[in-house]
């Protein structure tokens, strides 16, 4: 009986020691993983800082999405952009542009003249059609008017249009449902576009 008790004690001690050993090993692994993650984050931050400084040295500027920074609904999924002023070239479909907010008369969104970042969805010669809450560009269904039912003093159908964009007109949009853009206040004139943006983060 004493032999059995001694065996049980030894087994228990071995099991307890194994748990302690595994716990210490696990702590070391976790510590190494956290340290490696920290080094990666520092590297990413340094690389971003170096990229931003290089961009600024070559005539680019850095912009922050103030709405996203404040935790408010934003029109783009990005927080940081680098951008440069127009160099004479016209934007093309797919470009991110920096523009001046037009006068909308709707009492929402940015103030007239505020800098905004939008994605060019259509340009001179493109066909834009809005019917109800649906948007078509060059005959292809592109998106919806997610805010059509919530803008003050407006109702579905008030934004309906069917037009071909003029030689200096650009239809711009955000990429989130909350975006207040050309779907609601029409195309931007070329003069309102002041630069081209590159999303960073």
């Amino acid at each position: 009986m004493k032999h059995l008790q001694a065996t049980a004690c030894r087994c228990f001690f071995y099991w307890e020691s194994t748990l302690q050993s595994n716990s210490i090993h696990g702590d070391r692994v976790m510590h190494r993983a956290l340290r490696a993650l920290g080094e990666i984050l520092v590297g990413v931050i340094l690389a971003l800082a170096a990229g931003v400084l290089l961009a600024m040295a070559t005539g680019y500027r850095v912009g922050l999405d103030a709405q996203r920074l404040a935790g408010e609904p934003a029109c783009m999924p990005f927080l940081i952009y680098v951008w440069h002023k127009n160099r004479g070239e016209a934007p093309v479909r797919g470009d991110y542009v920096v523009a001046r907010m037009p006068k909308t008369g709707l009492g929402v969104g940015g103030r007239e003249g505020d800098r905004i970042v939008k994605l060019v969805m259509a340009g001179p010669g493109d066909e834009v059609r809005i019917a109800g809450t649906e948007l078509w560009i060059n005959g292809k269904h592109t998106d919806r008017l997610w805010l059509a039912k919530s803008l003050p003093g407006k109702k579905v159908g008030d934004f309906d249009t069917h037009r071909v964009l003029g030689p200096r007109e650009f239809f711009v949009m955000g990429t989130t449902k909350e975006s207040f853009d050309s779907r609601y206040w029409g195309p931007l004139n070329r003069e309102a576009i002041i630069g081209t943006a590159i999303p960073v983060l």
Side-chain angles (χ1 to χ4, degrees):
M1 187 67 177
K2 288 182 180 180
H3 173 71
L4 288 175
Q5 287 176 342
T7 302
C9 287
R10 281 197 299 272
C11 288
F12 177 75
F13 179 74
Y14 172 76
W15 179 68
E16 187 179 43
S17 298
T18 302
L19 282 178
Q20 290 175 348
S21 175
N22 287 341
S23 177
I24 292 170
H25 178 70
D27 288 345
R28 287 176 180 165
V29 170
M30 180 62 72
H31 178 73
R32 288 175 188 157
L34 289 174
R35 184 174 177 180
L37 181 60
E39 290 173 353
I40 290 171
L41 287 174
V42 169
V44 169
I45 291 169
L46 289 175
L48 281 173
V52 166
L53 289 174
L54 179 62
M56 292 175 70
T58 54
Y60 282 80
R61 304 177 181 202
V62 178
L64 295 175
D65 188 327
Q67 287 178 289
R68 188 166 294 281
L69 204 59
E72 299 174 1
C75 64
M76 294 284 190
F78 309 107
L79 174 62
I80 302 173
Y81 301 85
V82 293
W83 68 281
H84 63 79
K85 288 188 174 182
N86 285 334
R87 297 170 180 170
E89 70 277 12
V92 297
R93 194 181 310 159
D95 280 353
Y96 289 95
V97 294
V98 180
R100 294 291 183 189
M101 184 72 184
K103 184 176 182 179
T104 67
L106 295 174
V108 297
R111 296 169 299 182
E112 182 182 0
D114 280 354
R115 279 201 301 256
I116 56 175
V117 177
K118 300 292 182 185
L119 183 63
V120 176
M121 299 297 292
D126 288 328
E127 178 192 28
V128 174
R129 182 165 73 92
I130 293 173
T133 59
E134 307 304 317
L135 165 68
W136 288 265
I137 295 176
N138 294 327
K140 180 181 178 182
H141 186 264
T142 304
D143 209 323
R144 303 192 69 203
L145 278 70
W146 300 97
L147 303 180
K149 298 178 181 179
S150 59
L151 292 175
K154 293 292 181 178
K155 62 183 184 300
V156 174
D158 286 349
F159 305 101
D160 287 7
T161 187
H162 190 182
R163 60 183 296 180
V164 174
L165 298 181
R168 299 183 68 80
E169 290 185 322
F170 296 87
F171 195 90
V172 299
M173 291 171 47
T175 58
T176 66
K177 293 180 180 180
E178 295 85 4
S179 178
F180 186 52
D181 50 43
S182 287
R183 287 172 286 188
Y184 311 101
W185 36 255
L188 282 177
N189 289 322
R190 176 74 176 86
E191 291 72 22
I193 297 174
I194 60 176
T196 302
I198 302 170
V200 175
L201 180 66

